[in-house]
Structures are given as structure tokens and as C-alpha cells.
Amino acid sequence: MRLFTRYNRILIIISFFGMMIIGFLFYRMLVYYLDMQIDHDLVEEIMEVKEYSDKSTFYEPHEFEDLIVQYKKISKANPSSSYADTVFYNPVKHRTETARYLKTELELVGQPYQILVIASKFERQEQIRNICLIILIPVMILFAVVLMVNRILLKKIWKPFEQLLQNITAFNINHERPYEPVDMPVAEFKQLNQVLVELSGKVKSDYDEIKLFTENASHEMMTPLAVINSKLDNMLQSNVLGKEDGETLVELYKATSRLTKLNQSLLLLVKIDNNLLHDEQKVNIKALIEEKAVYFQELIGGRNLTVDLELADISISASLQLLEMLINNLFSNVIRHNYDGGKIEIRLDAEKIVFSNTGHNHALDPEKIFDRFYKDSASEGTGLGLSILKQICNRQHYLLAYSYNHDLHTFTITFNN
Amino acid sequence: MKILIIEDEPVLRHSIAQYLTTEGNVCSLASTYAESLERLNLYEYDCILLDLTLPDGEGLQLLNYLKRMNRAEGVIIISARNSIDQKIEGLSLGADDYLIKPFHLSELNARILAVMRRKSAQGDRHIEFNEIRIDIDAKEVTINGLGVYMTKKEFDLLLYFIANKGKVISKSAAVEHIWGDDSDMANSFDFIYTHIKNIRKKLTDAGSRDYFQSVYGVGYKFTST
């Protein structure tokens, strides 16, 4: 639920119940006071009755149409009086109305009488209704205005916050996009912004440091590797090596070469990450794939792999170096993880490149295969090939996806994602 | 051929010298910028191997110096830094080639010879080895005048072996020479075997002697002995 909605919902619920309670109390008070007033009038009427009644006539309230006085002879007057609500037939208006009466017993001209004074509450009730309406309507309007102002104000106040959210989402460590600070008028947001600026700066600098470290470490390893390689090359020239030494040398060469390759791949990852390859140009992918198919033909032919090409004549604007690496990587992948006599399918159209291959493995975990150093133990690769692929796609804003169907491992690269 | 090796890592420096000091090559060694400058002031060389990161200065400065003095030496940069920008800078300052560490000595040797060929050859550039004649520009191999068809990779491999004649070239080095960055491909070692087998067959079919020798299963040697 949005903060807006939540806030408004709570506000409306509280206001509604609050107004109900206040309204009820207000109404009760009003009724109480009006009743008091009527009661007061009733007492005054009784006094009039006492004062103006003589032997011949009893007092009749002529001037009030909402008031009647009834006399009833009784045997003995109890000096008590009681007030209550009632309903009576108004003879003047010819209708039944709610009313209030005062019942009392008095001695009038020596005779005990029960006197009932009934006053209509109709006028008063009208008054109450009007008073309530007069108060309720402005309050409702005020309430609506407050809600609206709230809405507008909140939207305005939260606008920088939404901008901030957008900027955080846009912040990408790989793409060298720094977090863009937002101008925040609200103190709390300002603080949040400040914290984010610092945090993103720290993350960025830590990340850069790690990259630099990787780069330096890999570079530093190149010279010792060169030493090993050169020593091996010289050792090989010796005329006194036996068969066993030969086998050792083969293993040493392989290990050195693997270490070298690993180092180069790490450096390559850093390089792609640092966006050092920016030779944007029009590249004919069809030609590139065909060229690479020829380049890898011995490796393909040697394993009796069938290659099925279906390429549209597509050119896209991209870094040639990155694209070459991409295609190389895809080829390496479909050849390496294939079995002898397997199949390779390559499709190219305006939207995507698709490389599929048969393989020993069943479906791989699409969540994990692009992770660095994720590989099956049988693989002689560095475990970085697919990460490099992923990195290149990130850099070029392509979408890289893996799927497995019909016994084919399929890598799909969608352009202009 | 006189070669100056400028490299601050002593083991590598001596390894390179050891490999190259045959067939009448003479190697001079320098480990610092100052030492190199001193050598270059005193002597002339055919080829200079230049490490870019020296303890007392940038190798690129030496290139500047050579350019300023109009020196004719061929220069091959050997660097651990695989950066396009540095490569371009080095080549534009007059270096003839750029080799990234780690490299195989056979590769270095082949590059040196290629640079020397480019520097010296006027017009007709070819290599002869007994009855084998290789036209480098036309990429043609002839045995006693008889043309032998070779694929690009076979041609490159033959040239590589002839450049390192008398030396054992490991399969690993041969694979890297042919496949470069993709040399870690599965079974690529087997393909070197296939390639060599094909080259041997093509050469002997055309009447050449078989100069390839397999060595301990590690590699091959191209030799007339």
C-alpha cells in the first residue's frame, strides 16, 4: 500500500469516527440544553397558571400555539412535579408532534388540580436540525479540503523522494553511473540523500579498489608466469630428458597455460567493466560468425560436430572487439561442451543471436551458470567464459538468456533489450 | 644478429638470452633504463626487446630516444600489460611488435625474425630451408619449385617451426601460436598433432625430406639433422 493511501485511509477512518462521536455528543448537548429551556418555560407557565387563575377562568396560553395546559380535578394535591417527553396532538396545527410536558399538582382556588403543561418540541427540533446542518456542512467541506490539500502537499513533498528512488535504481556500479543526489527540501530526506551519496561513493570506491586489486594482482602474476614459461621452453631444449620428464613438462605447460588464461580472463573482465573497449562501429554479425566458423573449423571438424547456420544479413552498431569476444566465447562454449558427433545450431536475425549445442549435461541452472568460476569439474576451462559473455552483454545492453529444450543447450542474446 | 634484452626480471632476462643465443646470435642484457641508454649509446643492435616497466623509467621513453636518434633497430615491446592504448602508443612511437607476457620463447623468436625480415627485405621476401622455399607475402610453399597447397593455419605453423628450426616447440606454444586467446579449447592439443601430420604429409608428398621430429610427446622439432 502506498504511503499516501495508508495515511489517507487512517486519517479518514479516524476523522469519521471522531466526527461521529463529536456529532453525537454535540447533538445530545444541544437536545439537553433545549430541553432545559423548555422545562424552564414549562415552570414559568405553571407560575402563570398560579397567578392568573381565578374562580371563573383558568389560565389558557393563547399567545402560544405550541403550548396547551390541561387541568384535572383530583382529590388531593401532592406537591410534586415531573418532566418527560411525550407525543401530543396539536389542536392548532392538527397534527401529532413530539413534546415535553410538566405534570404537577396544585391547589387552585381551594381545589386540588393536576395540571399538565405540554409544549411542542417541533420548533426546537427544527432548530437543532438547522444548527446541526449549519455546523456539519462547513465541517464536511473543510474535511474534503483538508484531504485534498493533504494529497497535493504529500505528492509535492514526496516528489524528491520518488526522484531519489529513481536515482538509486539507476545507480549501477558496472555502468559507472554514479548516484545522482537530489535536492531535498525536507530535513529527513536531505539526510537520506546525504547517506545515500556517502554510501554509493563508498560502494563505488570499494568496488574500484577491488577491480584495481584484481588488475594489479593479475598483472603481477604475468611476469612470474613468463619466467615459468621461458624456463620450460629452455628445459625442453635439453637433450637429456626422458619420457617421464616429457610427461611432467606437458602437465606443467598445461597448468601454466591454464593459469595464464585465467589471469587473462580476469583482466578481461576488469577491462570490460572499466569500459576500456569503446570502438563502436557498424559490425556485420553474419560475416563475423561465418569468419569464426572458418576459424574454428578444425576444432569443429575434429569432433565431427554438425554446424547448422541460419544467418540473416544483419549489421549492428557495437564494439567490434567485444562482439568478436562474444562470438568467440559462444563458439568456444558450443564446441567445448559438446560431445563428439554432436550438433551446433546458430541462428541470427534482426533481434537476436542464438547458439545451441548438444551436450553431456542436462539442463544447467540458469541462475548460476553465469557466475564466475561456476563450472562442472570435468571442464578444463577457466570457469570465466560465461561470465565474460554476461559482462559483454551487460556492457552492450544485450539480454543474455540460457534455456534447455529438445536436448539442446541454448544461449540467446537479444539486442536492444 | 645482435640483440639487446631490456628486462628487469633477471630470470626472464637470462632465459630469453639462453634461448636466443644460438645460431650466431649475440645477446646483450640490460635491467634498467640507465643501463639500456648506456648500451644504446655505445653499440648498435639489430633488435631490441623492451620491457615497458623498468625500475628507473618508462620503456616508452627509450622508444622516444631511439626515434629521436633515428636508430634503425627493430624493437619488440614485451609487456605484462595487455592494453590497446599502450600497444598503439608503443607502435606509434616506432616499436615493431608488441608481445604480451607470458609468452613462449619460440613465439618471441618467431616475432624477432619476422621483424628482421620486415626491416631488411627489399621486395622479394622469402625463406629457404634446404629444398623448401616459402614466399611470405604470397603465402606459398614450394618444394624444388613444386607448389604445395597449405591452409592458412598450416602455413603459419610451418613458418613458426622454420623460424625456430633446431628448437623443440612445445605443443602448448604451437597451440597458442595458432589459436591465440582461444588456445584453451578442448582437444586443441590433438589438432596440433593433426596439423603437423598434414604438413608432414604434404611436404613429403611433394618430395621434401621429413624434417619434423616428435620430442617426448611434449612437442616437435623442425631440424635437418
Side-chain angles (χ1 to χ4, degrees), chain B residues 135-152:
Chain B
D135 187 323
I136 291 161
D137 295 314
K139 299 205 181 297
E140 275 172 8
V141 182
T142 45
I143 311 285
N144 300 321
L146 187 68
V148 179
Y149 168 76
M150 286 199 178
T151 66
K152 188 181 173 297

Side-chain angles (χ1 to χ4, degrees), chain A residues 224-414:
Chain A
L225 278 169
V227 170
I228 296 172
N229 248 340
S230 66
K231 281 284 164 196
L232 286 173
D233 286 344
N234 275 327
M235 205 179 209
L236 196 57
Q237 311 309 323
S238 155
N239 291 320
V240 294
L241 291 175
K243 177 139 181 47
E244 239 169 70
D245 299 323
E247 278 162 18
T248 309
L249 277 177
V250 169
E251 292 312 318
L252 283 173
Y253 266 122
K254 274 190 182 167
T256 315
S257 147
R258 202 162 145 187
L259 197 55
T260 306
K261 183 74 192 161
L262 191 65
N263 249 339
Q264 284 168 346
S265 300
L266 281 174
L267 281 171
L268 189 63
L269 275 171
V270 174
K271 206 185 277 181
I272 298 168
D273 219 21
N274 282 343
N275 206 4
L276 289 178
L277 308 164
H278 33 59
D279 52 333
E280 193 93 354
Q281 51 187 283
K282 262 259 172 299
V283 183
N284 186 326
I285 308 186
K286 185 189 181 201
L288 188 62
I289 292 178
E290 281 169 345
E291 182 195 317
K292 292 295 168 189
V294 173
Y295 179 73
F296 287 111
Q297 64 181 349
E298 287 89 359
L299 297 177
I300 295 166
R303 303 194 63 183
N304 289 319
L305 303 173
T306 333
V307 182
D308 179 12
L309 295 176
E310 235 182 77
L311 310 173
D313 196 8
I314 301 294
S315 292
I316 57 169
S317 186
S319 156
L320 177 62
Q321 283 187 67
L322 286 181
L323 270 191
E324 266 190 39
M325 271 182 240
L326 188 88
I327 303 293
N328 263 355
N329 245 306
L330 286 167
F331 262 110
S332 300
N333 204 52
V334 292
I335 297 170
R336 186 203 296 277
H337 299 290
N338 225 318
Y339 47 73
D340 290 351
K343 200 164 68 173
I344 297 172
E345 272 180 26
I346 303 170
R347 302 275 178 273
L348 172 68
D349 59 40
E351 273 115 49
K352 57 189 186 298
I353 309 177
V354 182
F355 272 68
S356 310
N357 65 287
T358 49
H360 292 297
N361 288 323
H362 289 294
L364 302 165
D365 185 351
E367 296 289 317
K368 284 193 184 145
I369 49 166
F370 299 115
D371 287 353
R372 294 179 183 188
F373 302 115
Y374 174 81
K375 57 171 189 167
D376 63 271
S377 47
S379 167
E380 291 225 339
T382 55
L384 288 174
L386 289 178
S387 322
I388 290 174
L389 206 60
K390 179 88 192 158
Q391 192 87 326
I392 293 173
C393 288
N394 281 347
R395 175 56 69 198
Q396 293 281 338
H397 305 291
Y398 299 159
L399 188 73
L400 173 63
Y402 164 80
S403 62
Y404 180 79
N405 34 32
H406 307 299
D407 295 331
L408 284 176
H409 299 275
T410 302
F411 290 88
T412 308
I413 291 169
T414 315

Side-chain angles (χ1 to χ4, degrees), chain A residues 17-66:
Chain A
F17 282 107
M19 273 182 30
M20 290 279 277
I21 292 166
I22 289 171
F24 176 75
L25 289 177
F26 179 72
Y27 176 78
R28 291 306 308 168
M29 280 298 259
L30 216 55
V31 166
Y32 175 73
Y33 274 109
L34 286 175
D35 279 357
M36 287 241 298
Q37 225 169 38
I38 293 174
D39 291 351
H40 189 73
D41 287 350
L42 290 175
V43 170
E44 254 175 31
E45 281 307 311
I46 293 292
M47 308 231 299
E48 301 266 307
V49 165
K50 274 188 201 164
E51 206 167 317
Y52 291 105
S53 294
D54 52 38
K55 277 190 184 110
S56 53
T57 54
F58 286 151
Y59 165 78
E60 286 294 336
H62 294 296
E63 58 266 46
F64 303 113
E65 55 179 14
D66 291 339

Side-chain angles (χ1 to χ4, degrees), chain B residues 121-189:
Chain B
Q122 254 106 64
D124 172 38
R125 299 202 303 146
H126 64 269
I127 296 173
E128 278 183 30
F129 183 86
N130 295 346
E131 64 271 36
I132 305 171
R133 184 190 156 92
I134 299 175
D135 187 323
I136 291 161
D137 295 314
K139 299 205 181 297
E140 275 172 8
V141 182
T142 45
I143 311 285
N144 300 321
L146 187 68
V148 179
Y149 168 76
M150 286 199 178
T151 66
K152 188 181 173 297
K153 289 192 189 95
E154 286 165 356
F155 182 84
D156 285 348
L157 211 51
L158 179 62
L159 205 59
Y160 189 47
F161 271 95
I162 291 181
N164 288 289
K165 54 180 178 283
K167 300 276 190 192
V168 183
I169 293 181
S170 64
K171 283 180 187 169
S172 186
V175 164
E176 264 164 50
H177 180 73
I178 296 295
W179 298 100
D181 283 346
D182 306 293
S183 56
D184 64 331
M185 297 283 290
N187 300 349
S188 50
F189 274 39

